[in-house]
Amino acid sequence: MTDRRLWSYKEIAAHIGVQTDTVRTYRKHGMLPAPDLTEGGKPYWFADTIRTWVAERPGNRSRRDQKG
């Protein structure tokens, strides 16, 4: 099943445990995937897009691995 909910900077930040401004900086530096939708000048990503990006980020371990 795919998750097509749209996430803004706020939802992405909550998902990866950083501040919203950090996510904006990631995008500014080309570290985020391209938005799936831009509405009213605001970018949005599908939840699955972000989950895939998180899983593929270089040097990133899942939170489960960090708690072991």
Side-chain angles (χ1 to χ4, degrees), residues 2-55:
T2 59
D3 190 345
R4 305 292 280 184
R5 288 178 294 166
L6 290 171
W7 285 2
S8 67
Y9 290 123
K10 182 179 177 180
E11 287 85 14
I12 295 169
H15 182 71
I16 62 175
V18 299
Q19 297 294 316
T20 304
D21 285 343
T22 301
V23 180
R24 291 179 201 278
T25 299
Y26 287 170
R27 182 169 182 225
K28 178 180 176 182
H29 292 287
M31 298 166 64
L32 269 180
D36 293 301
L37 175 74
T38 302
E39 189 172 287
K42 295 179 182 180
Y44 296 93
W45 294 260
F46 292 126
D48 280 346
T49 300
I50 296 303
R51 287 190 181 105
T52 299
W53 169 73
V54 168

